[in-house]
Amino acid sequence: MNNRDPFNLRNSLRGSSPFPINRPRAPRTTSPVTSAEREKERNASEAQAELPRPSHTSKNRNPSISGQLGMSHAVPRHVPTQSDPQRRYEDSMWVNSGREGGRSTQNGHASRIGERVGNVFSGPKSGLPMYKDKPYRYATSRRRKPILKQKRFLASLILLLFALLYWAGLISPWSTEENTRKSFWWGNSQPKGINWDIRREKVKTVFQTTWKAYEDHAWGFDEYRPLSKRGRQIIDGTNGMGWIILDTVDTLMLMNLTAELSHARDWISSTLSFDIDSDQVGTFEATTQLLGGLLSAHYLSTAFPNMAPIPVVEGSSGEDLYREKAAQLADRILGAFESGSGIPYSRINLKTMKGAAAQTNGGATSSASAGGIQLELKYVAKLTGEKSYWETAEKAIQKLDDIGAKDGLLPSFVNPDLATFQSTEVRLGSGGEYYYQDLIKQYLQTSKQEEVYNDMWQEAFAGIRKNLVAYSKTANFTFIGERPDGLEGALNPKMVHSSCSVPGTIGLALTGGKPISELKKASQWHQEQEEQLELAKQLLQTCHGMYKATPIGLAPEATRFQILDTPHMLSDGPLHSVGDLTSTSDMSWLHDFIIKRDSRDSANYQSPSTISSLFYLYRLTNDTTYREWGWDIFESLLQHTDAGAGNGFTSLDDVTLTPPPQRDSMAPAWMAQTLKWFYLLFGPEDVLPLNEVVFSGAAHPFPRFELGSMWETGWKRRERNERGEVIGVGSKTEEVAPATTETIKVESMDRTEHEGKQ
């Protein structure tokens, strides 16, 4: 006998439910049925259930089972039959049980979604359910399904999520942090709670990628070409001077990159040689970048020993490595100052330690080369105690000042032997800004004890505002123009990108490096300072506009502006430019920017000038707007200057094209200056505070110090009239032949490109 089925119900009642309580009533709305008909059907059903069943003698029956039963039996009452007229109502109810709203369960919505997603792969189901105790389309069980049973639904969600992230540009080799702003179809999403530490680390990662590429493909070379993955020496046929290494070693310390610093230090100790027998080494570049890099490395390694600490045996030859190398180089550079006036020649043979006049420009030296190298020479004098460096630096700046530049604005070139200006052009860009920066920075370097340099800065700053600051035609952008034919000539509405360092210099001069909030608390901030700070802000807004005016978000090396027939100058009264350059409702301001498409103006050399001013104004005002502008520029640089395959980053040929063509040249300033400024901009304010250090024009930090008994200002300015001209001295501006003048202008343009690379 089958103990589990003593009445053999499995086979006899297959397909029907033995529990009438589970049988739902037919819907009242299906068809009209009278009470008499219902009673008649019920009686017929009960009568049929009471009839004896036929014996199980079918051919298909298992004889052994019949034998085991050995008895007759009656089927329980209330067992439904397939012939029951009510059956069609039951079938309809079970099929439709999942289609109606019914009572919701805790996972009903997920069930219906999962079912629809599943139907995409398996198609719709049809037919009646196998078990009527859990019909087809019945709401999900209250017990949570195992995760594996939901894999189609989860997989679909994951694929959709990745598609959205990829479409939004958040998944890429240089994807930034979780708060990166992206433009979606519903507008710009503004990050909240930005983590600037993460952004600073991103800058560090980019620096490491660039440094690794240089180590792998061009170690020890002066230049690196990322596209061809090779190095190049500035002076062909020489072993080079490791220009990138010396210029960048302080950035390694600042970013605490100990392994990379150890490699650089070993190269400096064992390989570096200044025996370069060539007259083509630039005096200005060798001083500001090579000498400045070594001096800054010495300062950081001694004043901040926790920055990338490298164990050095006390008393060993390597203890003062950077200072010793700096002194060796400074001795060689002094040869460039052995001219007829003490103004340096533009070139220096480092092996013979003799200066050489430029082969172009009629042998002239740029004003920046003569007056923009004093910070380095004065600091090396302080370190070594050698007065010759100090006196040499002072003599050059004195001779420049004695010529008597009108309104304190120097023409671009000077004759080093005669101490006369050899051109009439006045501009701040292409290196000219170094002279004006160094005036105020010399004043701060010696703790405001040399008032002569502050006087020279104030005179020059007044001249800049009077003669060079003008406004664009439509949106009133404030820009610094040029005077190609001298201060009496017409204004050229061209602003070179390197002039974008001026806003930071203005802010530094106004505050001395102290936060403005601190000055206001001490009642040391007045209306005149506020007006001059507003000028710095407006100039920086224009520099920001140079980036926003191009389709790739990167500024060209030079921008021209639409101006009125008679330019509106700052001396005619200040104007204010449009406030929001990100708004798409009014883009008329774009017409004020003119970018000339050629190999110089429309190129981008990964220049640091705007970033340095963003750093200064953020530190002084604590306005995070400048950080945000910096981050936008950083993202655009990553997107368009990446050489690919971990080979570093490179400069661009034309920022007006999308995508911009890349040129096979990484600017030395990329690691030594641009990434350094980014790192400081996104970092804590107490790292290298501006009221304690002075950054050179090449972004090398030097300490401030007192003159003491050993050092003093060894010269005084000559008496001047209200125009800044020296009283009793005739004009010493040399008459230049037309051919020579043209040569100077062409070389001036070449220098624009050269300075951009530096």
Side-chain angles (χ1 to χ4, degrees):
M1 173 181 286
N2 187 342
N3 294 330
R4 292 194 173 192
D5 193 6
F7 301 106
N8 197 27
L9 294 180
R10 289 182 180 272
N11 293 321
S12 62
L13 300 178
R14 183 173 300 169
S16 63
S17 173
F19 303 104
I21 192 172
N22 288 334
R23 184 170 62 243
R25 294 181 181 274
R28 293 183 182 275
T29 59
T30 304
S31 61
V33 180
T34 64
S35 301
E37 289 175 340
R38 292 195 191 96
E39 184 65 24
K40 183 177 179 180
E41 291 176 358
R42 187 183 302 110
N43 293 337
S45 178
E46 291 177 355
Q48 184 178 3
E50 292 175 355
L51 292 176
R53 301 289 180 181
S55 58
H56 302 282
T57 58
S58 174
K59 294 180 182 181
N60 296 330
R61 296 290 299 166
N62 190 334
S64 62
I65 297 178
S66 299
Q68 291 175 2
L69 290 173
M71 65 173 80
S72 63
H73 61 276
V75 178
R77 297 182 63 181
H78 306 299
V79 176
T81 63
Q82 299 295 333
S83 61
D84 190 344
Q86 192 77 7
R87 183 68 183 181
R88 70 178 185 275
Y89 304 125
E90 298 178 24
D91 293 345
S92 177
M93 285 293 294
W94 288 115
V95 169
N96 293 316
S97 62
R99 298 176 185 171
E100 299 178 4
R103 290 177 297 179
S104 64
T105 63
Q106 62 182 358
N107 203 22
H109 293 292
S111 172
R112 287 190 289 273
I113 294 173
E115 174 187 291
R116 293 183 183 183
V117 174
N119 286 343
V120 174
F121 304 99
S122 60
K125 296 182 180 179
S126 61
L128 294 175
M130 181 174 293
Y131 300 105
K132 287 191 176 181
D133 61 337
K134 191 172 184 180
Y136 175 54
R137 295 183 187 272
Y138 188 74
T140 306
S141 170
R142 286 181 173 85
R143 293 177 297 174
R144 188 176 297 275
K145 285 186 177 182
I147 191 66
L148 292 178
K149 292 187 178 181
Q150 303 177 32
K151 58 185 180 181
R152 288 176 179 168
F153 176 59
L154 293 175
S156 300
L157 286 180
I158 292 173
L159 288 174
L160 179 62
L161 177 62
F162 272 92
L164 287 173
L165 291 175
Y166 181 82
W167 175 83
L170 298 178
I171 302 178
S172 69
W174 294 109
S175 61
T176 52
E177 33 105 5
E178 72 279 0
N179 291 315
T180 299
R181 289 178 293 176
K182 292 292 176 180
S183 296
F184 299 97
W185 62 83
W186 58 83
N188 293 329
S189 59
Q190 180 69 22
K192 295 182 179 180
I194 296 173
N195 191 326
W196 291 103
D197 288 337
I198 293 178
R199 292 187 169 184
R200 181 179 61 160
E201 287 302 307
K202 186 63 182 178
V203 176
K204 182 177 178 179
T205 300
V206 171
F207 178 91
Q208 288 177 294
T209 300
T210 309
W211 182 265
K212 181 64 165 57
Y214 172 68
E215 280 186 320
D216 291 344
H217 306 301
W219 182 247
F221 281 86
D222 297 329
E223 296 177 352
Y224 172 50
R225 302 194 171 184
L227 301 184
S228 57
K229 296 182 289 187
R230 62 188 178 90
R232 176 184 175 276
Q233 306 294 11
I234 291 179
I235 308 300
D236 294 332
T238 67
N239 293 327
M241 294 166 284
W243 208 285
I244 292 177
I245 297 175
L246 299 188
D247 201 15
T248 309
V249 65
D250 59 346
T251 309
L252 295 172
M253 295 178 178
L254 181 63
M255 295 185 179
N256 200 29
L257 297 174
T258 307
E260 293 85 346
L261 178 60
S262 296
H263 192 193
R265 183 184 172 89
D266 289 344
W267 187 91
I268 294 172
S269 176
S270 61
T271 308
L272 175 62
S273 173
F274 298 123
D275 289 331
I276 305 298
D277 191 7
S278 171
D279 294 340
Q280 299 305 310
V281 177
T283 303
F284 174 77
E285 292 80 11
T287 305
T288 58
Q289 296 171 24
L290 301 185
L291 180 59
L294 289 168
L295 292 171
S296 178
H298 170 78
Y299 167 58
L300 294 183
S301 63
T302 54
F304 305 95
N306 292 328
M307 284 188 180
I310 297 178
V312 178
V313 178
E314 186 175 355
S316 65
S317 59
E319 184 178 8
D320 294 323
L321 174 65
Y322 304 120
R323 184 174 63 179
E324 291 173 357
K325 293 293 184 181
Q328 293 174 16
L329 179 57
D331 286 340
R332 297 167 187 258
I333 289 175
L334 286 184
F337 291 82
E338 295 175 357
S339 65
S341 67
I343 293 174
Y345 292 113
S346 64
R347 300 289 185 263
I348 178 66
N349 187 312
L350 292 177
K351 184 174 182 179
T352 63
M353 296 186 286
K354 293 186 179 295
Q359 295 178 357
T360 56
N361 297 336
T365 296
S366 72
S367 300
S369 296
I373 57 180
Q374 276 66 30
L375 288 176
E376 291 79 8
L377 293 177
K378 291 174 114 177
Y379 182 37
V380 75
K382 176 70 174 178
L383 286 178
T384 62
E386 293 292 335
K387 287 189 176 183
S388 58
Y389 303 121
W390 189 283
E391 293 169 351
T392 299
E394 282 193 331
K395 184 176 182 180
I397 198 77
Q398 177 187 5
K399 288 296 183 180
L400 276 178
D401 191 60
D402 284 348
I403 300 176
K406 188 179 297 184
D407 290 340
L409 300 180
L410 275 61
S412 298
F413 293 93
V414 60
N415 187 304
D417 289 315
L418 302 176
T420 57
F421 294 126
Q422 199 159 316
S423 69
T424 58
E425 180 184 37
V426 176
R427 62 177 181 174
L428 266 63
S430 304
E433 73 281 357
Y434 278 89
Y435 166 75
Y436 303 100
Q437 286 184 33
D438 263 25
L439 292 179
I440 190 62
K441 290 178 180 179
Q442 285 186 77
Y443 175 61
L444 298 176
Q445 182 185 38
T446 53
S447 304
K448 301 182 179 180
Q449 293 178 325
E450 295 186 281
E451 192 63 35
V452 61
Y453 299 113
N454 185 46
D455 291 342
M456 294 174 69
W457 159 255
Q458 295 297 339
E459 181 185 19
F461 183 39
I464 292 170
R465 286 176 287 166
K466 175 184 175 183
N467 299 286
L468 301 181
V469 177
Y471 296 93
S472 65
K473 181 178 182 179
T474 303
N476 299 329
F477 282 105
T478 310
F479 67 91
I480 300 175
E482 301 177 349
R483 297 278 184 176
D485 299 317
L487 297 183
E488 304 301 328
L491 177 76
N492 179 16
K494 173 184 176 182
M495 184 172 177
V496 180
H497 182 267
S498 59
S499 298
C500 287
S501 64
V502 174
T505 304
I506 295 174
L508 179 65
L510 288 173
T511 63
K514 293 183 179 180
I516 293 175
S517 59
E518 183 178 327
L519 295 175
K520 288 182 177 180
K521 288 181 181 179
S523 300
Q524 298 175 354
W525 190 255
H526 308 292
Q527 182 61 31
E528 183 181 2
Q529 293 166 297
E530 188 66 36
E531 293 174 356
Q532 294 177 6
L533 177 65
E534 183 61 28
L535 171 60
K537 291 180 178 180
Q538 291 293 315
L539 286 171
L540 191 50
Q541 169 89 333
T542 301
C543 294
H544 180 228
M546 293 179 183
Y547 287 83
K548 304 299 290 186
T550 68
I552 65 171
L554 293 177
E557 286 303 307
T559 302
R560 291 168 172 81
F561 293 89
Q562 295 278 9
I563 59 174
L564 298 172
D565 293 338
T566 301
H568 186 102
M569 307 296 294
L570 176 62
S571 56
D572 299 325
L575 301 176
H576 294 279
S577 62
V578 294
D580 185 9
L581 301 184
T582 62
S583 174
T584 57
S585 59
D586 184 8
M587 304 291 289
S588 60
W589 60 268
L590 281 172
H591 300 300
D592 280 3
F593 289 84
I594 303 173
I595 302 174
K596 183 180 178 182
R597 291 189 58 187
D598 61 27
S599 60
R600 297 180 178 89
D601 284 10
S602 60
N604 180 281
Y605 299 133
Q606 304 164 291
S607 303
S609 301
T610 295
I611 316 307
S612 67
S613 285
L614 291 174
F615 164 73
Y616 277 112
L617 262 65
Y618 168 69
R619 283 281 185 94
L620 299 174
T621 66
N622 200 33
D623 186 348
T624 57
T625 299
Y626 301 117
R627 273 184 160 184
E628 289 294 341
W629 290 357
W631 181 250
D632 289 341
I633 295 171
F634 179 73
E635 287 190 301
S636 296
L637 285 167
L638 294 194
Q639 181 179 357
H640 298 292
T641 67
D642 184 5
N647 293 325
F649 298 81
T650 192
S651 51
L652 305 174
D653 271 328
D654 193 341
V655 297
T656 66
L657 301 179
T658 305
Q662 294 182 335
R663 59 169 51 196
D664 193 13
S665 175
M666 180 194 78
W670 172 245
M671 288 196 292
Q673 300 183 46
T674 307
L675 290 179
K676 181 189 294 176
W677 289 126
F678 275 128
Y679 191 77
L680 290 168
L681 174 62
F682 303 146
E685 288 79 1
D686 58 351
V687 175
L688 300 179
L690 291 177
N691 60 343
E692 297 180 10
V693 303
V694 173
F695 285 93
S696 71
H700 296 303
F702 303 143
R704 299 190 185 190
F705 55 85
E706 302 282 341
L707 286 176
S709 59
M710 185 173 181
W711 310 104
E712 63 178 0
T713 306
W715 68 283
K716 294 182 180 180
R717 301 189 74 190
R718 291 185 179 181
E719 187 178 357
R720 285 166 165 74
N721 60 25
E722 66 279 359
R723 291 292 305 245
E725 299 169 329
V726 176
I727 296 177
V729 178
S731 173
K732 289 192 176 183
T733 302
E734 184 179 37
E735 295 293 334
V736 184
T740 308
T741 302
E742 181 65 23
T743 303
I744 291 176
K745 290 184 178 180
V746 171
E747 172 62 16
S748 174
M749 295 177 65
D750 291 340
R751 187 174 180 81
T752 299
E753 181 176 3
H754 178 68
E755 293 295 342
K757 291 182 180 181
Q758 298 305 322

